[in-house]
Amino acid sequence: MARAAMLTFLLLALSAALAWATNPGFVARITEKGLDYARQEGVSALQQALSKITLPDFSGTFHVKHLGNVHYSFNSLVIRNFQLPNSQVVPIPKVGLKFSITDAFIQLDGKWHVHKGIVKDHGSFDLKVEGLSITVDLALGSDGSGRPTISTSGCSSHISNIRVHISGKLSWILKLFHEKIDSAFRKTMEGKICPVVSDSIKTKLQPFLETLDVTVKLDHTAGIDYSLIGPPDVTAESVDVDLKGEFFDLSHHSEIPFPPPALAFPVDNNLMVYFGISDYLFNTASFVYQQAGILVFTLTDDMIPKDFNIRLNTSSIGTLIPQVEKLYPDMLMTMRVSAPSAPFLTFTPSNISFTPVLDIQASAILPNASLAPLFLLSVTTTLSVKVAARSNRIIGNLLLSKIELTLKHSDVGPFSVALLDITVNYYISHILLPHVNDILGKGFPLPMLDHIEISDVVLQQHQNFLLFGANVHYT
């Protein structure tokens, strides 16, 4: 019985650990519309690459009745036109992508030579390749640094028809053996296409994916880890890329002591890309900065607007708490605002809730510049949160709704904290929050590839995450 209970406990613990490890803090989804745009850009780049194919000179010998063996050669082969009119990309669930091109057209020309003993002739030719089809299987993965990878897992090409027009006095000899010539051209062209496709993916597309900055430094304290936690997940409608989506301390990359929640991504294909930004990402930011001692703000009298009656000195605060003025007459004060624990955001479809609890330590500044503690307040705040997008950054803004004060400790004797309600409310809403909103207004960057611009941005709140949708444009 004890063994069964222990086994059950271990299985539950393992299940919890796996769930903790696999849930992403950030999900990027490329929809069918996004894949189609990528296809268009890819075909344009591939067409340029294929247009630069260099074809080798080739020659041979064939037997002509009554003439014997005739030697021929084709050289100076130049592609004049390469069109890829029809293409599509299809997601293959759990496998990758299938990229196909049909009815492609190639036009090239060159020169030919034939000779039989002392009889020689030369001329020009033009060749049209019709019904060229190319099929490429693309495997998606991730490398050791957490960046996405793409590679060719299969490639084939087929030419339906070749038309050769040969001009010159002895061109009739070559026309007798057009099937052999067609076959030589077909074999040469088909042998060239897949290596060019594979090389383009390796040298153009893969380096482009490597521009994803999986580690973003924000300031001297923190960065964001946008590394992939596994290979992209391909479904019949989209490609989902799960990223760690986690703030970390630049001085030491320690584990976050709470797991990311599961994200129930809605089905929406109106835009090219969607980002699911978990509240986990925001909350790891709060945790990292709180642990680093950054969530501290010291308020002094020179920060208070001139038109506010209650100054931050013992004379002014003494009108509310007389013993402050009596113990420390005519002295300036400070209020040190800090977060004793990391404040967390919570996303629901209807709102974003944020209720940080703050400590406010009031102190008198003595003549020798040391601080004499006066009282310590606990302040529970209720804030309304607005999140917006600016270019490729997520920005925020906080607005104070209400506060609740509790006296945690007093060095000047008991007093009613209600007397400080208006004063603290003013200090927080007019001094502290503008400072915080300046920081939030800078926002943090989304994980984007180089030369990608976004438009038609939409933001939606969902349970545990923020949905960011956009169309993209490659510049």
Side-chain angles (χ1 to χ4, degrees):
M1 191 71 177
R3 287 184 177 180
M6 179 60 72
L7 179 60
T8 301
F9 172 77
L10 290 174
L11 289 173
L12 289 173
L14 178 60
S15 299
L18 289 173
W20 188 319
T22 55
N23 283 340
F26 191 104
V27 178
R29 170 169 291 177
I30 308 170
T31 65
E32 288 179 303
K33 186 176 180 181
L35 289 172
D36 189 61
Y37 178 74
R39 173 196 61 79
Q40 295 174 43
E41 292 295 322
V43 166
S44 178
L46 184 59
Q47 183 167 302
Q48 293 182 29
L50 290 173
S51 298
K52 296 176 183 178
I53 287 178
T54 56
L55 298 174
D57 298 343
F58 60 94
S59 59
T61 302
F62 52 83
H63 184 78
V64 179
K65 191 175 182 181
H66 305 306
L67 290 179
N69 291 333
V70 177
H71 302 283
Y72 70 91
S73 66
F74 288 86
N75 54 61
S76 303
L77 281 67
V78 178
I79 293 176
R80 300 300 183 190
N81 191 11
F82 204 129
Q83 298 295 324
L84 307 176
N86 302 314
S87 60
Q88 66 174 347
V89 60
V90 178
I92 308 299
K94 306 301 179 183
V95 176
L97 303 173
K98 184 177 289 293
F99 175 59
S100 59
I101 295 171
T102 56
D103 298 324
F105 171 82
I106 309 172
Q107 185 175 10
L108 56 85
D109 56 40
K111 298 177 180 179
W112 61 267
H113 294 80
V114 296
H115 66 91
K116 167 62 179 175
I118 62 173
V119 179
K120 296 181 180 180
D121 196 11
H122 66 275
S124 62
F125 74 92
D126 62 78
L127 179 146
K128 294 179 180 178
V129 175
E130 300 172 335
L132 168 63
S133 62
I134 306 170
T135 301
V136 185
D137 296 321
L138 299 173
L140 306 179
S142 59
D143 63 17
S145 66
R147 287 183 172 84
T149 61
I150 187 168
S151 59
T152 305
S153 57
C155 180
S156 63
S157 63
H158 175 71
I159 296 172
S160 297
N161 188 36
I162 289 182
R163 299 180 186 273
V164 183
H165 179 262
I166 303 172
S167 62
K169 293 180 180 179
L170 297 182
S171 62
W172 62 272
I173 298 178
L174 295 175
K175 291 175 183 177
L176 293 175
F177 295 89
H178 69 88
E179 290 184 0
K180 184 174 182 180
I181 295 171
D182 289 358
S183 176
F185 274 115
R186 186 191 305 270
K187 184 177 180 180
T188 300
M189 289 299 302
E190 289 179 346
K192 283 282 186 177
I193 289 171
C194 279
V196 170
V197 172
S198 298
D199 184 68
S200 295
I201 291 169
K202 182 179 179 180
T203 61
K204 299 289 196 306
L205 186 52
Q206 178 56 38
F208 174 62
L209 294 182
E210 290 172 1
T211 65
L212 177 66
D213 199 351
V214 296
T215 302
V216 179
K217 181 180 178 181
L218 293 177
D219 49 36
H220 295 299
T221 302
I224 307 177
D225 187 343
Y226 279 135
S227 59
L228 275 67
I229 62 175
D233 182 25
V234 182
T235 69
E237 294 82 25
S238 63
V239 176
D240 286 356
V241 184
D242 292 346
L243 312 180
K244 197 166 187 180
E246 177 182 293
F247 276 70
F248 64 93
D249 192 318
L250 294 175
S251 62
H252 60 286
H253 201 150
S254 58
E255 290 296 322
I256 300 295
F258 51 88
L263 305 184
F265 229 101
V267 178
D268 192 339
N269 293 315
N270 292 324
L271 298 171
M272 295 180 186
V273 295
Y274 289 91
F275 299 129
I277 310 169
S278 172
D279 56 16
Y280 173 81
L281 176 63
F282 298 95
N283 293 334
T284 59
S286 179
F287 175 79
V288 166
Y289 284 113
Q290 194 274 337
Q291 289 290 298
I294 302 300
L295 301 186
V296 177
F297 181 79
T298 300
L299 178 64
T300 57
D301 185 69
D302 57 0
M303 299 177 183
I304 300 171
K306 302 288 186 186
D307 58 353
F308 189 62
N309 294 330
I310 302 177
R311 313 304 304 173
L312 196 49
N313 56 52
T314 56
S315 299
S316 188
I317 297 297
T319 62
L320 304 174
I321 309 171
Q323 53 266 49
V324 169
E325 166 69 8
K326 186 180 295 185
L327 291 171
Y328 301 98
D330 196 26
M331 294 183 185
L332 290 173
M333 290 175 55
T334 67
M335 283 191 173
R336 183 179 184 272
V337 184
S338 62
S341 60
F344 286 174
L345 282 169
T346 300
F347 286 90
T348 67
S350 58
N351 72 318
I352 303 174
S353 60
F354 189 50
T355 56
V357 177
L358 305 174
D359 279 351
I360 298 181
Q361 174 64 60
S363 302
I365 304 176
L366 300 178
N368 64 1
S370 63
L371 300 178
L374 302 175
F375 52 84
L376 176 63
L377 299 175
S378 177
V379 185
T380 301
T381 62
T382 302
L383 300 163
S384 60
V385 184
K386 291 184 178 180
V387 180
R390 181 186 298 155
S391 184
N392 64 338
R393 302 179 77 87
I394 294 294
I395 61 175
N397 186 269
L398 304 178
L399 183 65
L400 182 64
S401 299
K402 67 176 183 178
I403 64 170
E404 295 179 5
L405 303 182
T406 303
L407 183 63
K408 292 181 73 172
H409 177 76
S410 174
D411 292 283
V412 297
F415 62 89
S416 173
V417 294
L419 298 170
L420 293 172
D421 188 83
I422 294 176
T423 302
V424 172
N425 197 311
Y426 182 89
Y427 289 165
I428 291 177
S429 60
H430 288 76
I431 302 171
L432 177 60
L433 278 189
H435 173 74
V436 173
N437 284 331
D438 282 344
I439 298 172
L440 297 179
K442 298 175 183 176
F444 64 87
L446 297 170
M448 302 291 286
L449 298 167
D450 281 356
H451 307 294
I452 293 294
E453 293 182 353
I454 59 175
S455 61
D456 308 316
V457 173
V458 298
L459 284 174
Q460 298 174 1
Q461 294 166 204
H462 292 266
Q463 189 66 40
N464 299 327
F465 73 100
L466 181 72
L467 183 67
F468 177 106
N471 286 323
V472 300
H473 177 67
Y474 180 75
T475 58

